Amino acid sequence: MEVSKKLTVKDLATIGIFSAIMIVVFLAFSIATGASMFFNMILNAVCVAFILSPFFVYMAMKVNKPGVTLIYNILHGILASVFMGPFIFPWFLVGGILGELSMRGEGSYRDIKKITLAWIITSLTRATHGMSEIWFFYKAFVNTGVSEEQIAIQTQYYTDPKWITISLVLTVVAAILGCYLGNKITKKHFIKTGVIN
């Protein structure tokens, strides 16, 4: 019997609930570590890539249908737009589309390698959104009323190849390690017990 690839109301609810949990965890972590501009610029996305990956692995495997990556990125893009302005939304939309395209193929949402690739793309989208404010959306970013200090710090770090490379490489490593851990947890506690079938 062929399983429908169309998202049901239950699927959308699962994506919505887990995306909301992931966003709350992201916000709580960002607030807790927000005092350090260096950490915020360079290491926030690294830690978040690791912390949130088990949620993403579970969500992808539970829904097991196309749309998970795109919807999550769209929701995160909406959140970013609220705090930074609508100019940033296309960045997350493109990231979501690329992440979704990486999941093409039969059984992708049960394939940890493809799930990991989608999460890497999603994590890099988050890691580079602050960079995009300096690289591509500078005028719109300045017009949001952000402080001169923040502009100076973002410009300092996000135009320096060394810090850009460190941030992005560590984000990829954290996403891979997090998905590996998430896969172990999901298999042991949710697939074996029948929560995910």
Side-chain angles (χ1 to χ4, degrees):
M1 182 178 175
E2 189 176 342
V3 180
S4 172
K5 291 299 178 184
K6 290 184 179 180
L7 292 170
T8 64
V9 172
K10 184 179 178 181
D11 295 328
L12 292 171
T14 299
I15 296 170
I17 290 167
F18 272 84
S19 294
I21 292 170
M22 292 166 75
I23 287 170
V24 168
V25 172
F26 164 71
L27 288 174
F29 180 80
S30 297
I31 291 169
T33 60
S36 169
M37 290 292 283
F38 171 80
F39 187 94
N40 215 24
M41 299 292 110
I42 304 301
L43 298 177
N44 178 280
V46 177
C47 296
V48 170
F50 181 78
I51 293 167
L52 297 186
S53 50
F55 295 98
F56 185 79
V57 171
Y58 177 89
M59 178 171 65
M61 290 190 174
K62 179 67 175 175
V63 175
N64 193 27
K65 295 174 185 175
V68 173
T69 307
L70 178 60
I71 294 171
Y72 171 74
N73 276 275
I74 286 174
L75 293 175
H76 199 83
I78 291 170
L79 175 73
S81 297
V82 169
F83 286 100
M84 290 171 255
F87 68 89
I88 201 66
F89 179 79
W91 192 258
F92 285 91
L93 178 61
V94 170
I97 292 170
L98 292 175
E100 199 62 54
L101 288 174
S102 75
M103 296 294 288
R104 293 175 68 186
E106 194 66 31
S108 294
Y109 279 89
R110 290 294 171 86
D111 183 343
I112 191 57
K113 290 180 181 177
K114 289 205 170 186
I115 292 171
T116 300
L117 179 57
W119 184 243
I120 288 171
I121 293 170
T122 295
S123 298
L124 288 176
T125 300
R126 182 187 289 110
T128 55
H129 85 272
M131 300 175 191
S132 74
E133 293 168 348
I134 300 300
W135 299 345
F136 306 116
F137 309 119
Y138 186 82
K139 188 174 180 180
F141 178 53
V142 171
N143 287 339
T144 62
V146 66
S147 69
E148 291 184 8
E149 179 190 8
Q150 183 170 337
I151 294 170
I153 293 173
Q154 279 192 228
T155 302
Q156 175 190 344
Y157 287 123
Y158 293 158
T159 57
D160 186 331
K162 178 185 76 173
W163 290 116
I164 292 169
T165 302
I166 289 171
S167 179
L168 299 188
V169 169
L170 289 179
T171 297
V172 170
V173 172
I176 292 170
L177 292 175
C179 285
Y180 175 80
L181 177 64
N183 187 46
K184 291 284 188 183
I185 294 170
T186 301
K187 280 185 173 180
K188 183 176 180 180
H189 296 289
F190 301 109
I191 293 178
K192 284 186 177 178
T193 58
V195 175
I196 295 177
N197 47 37

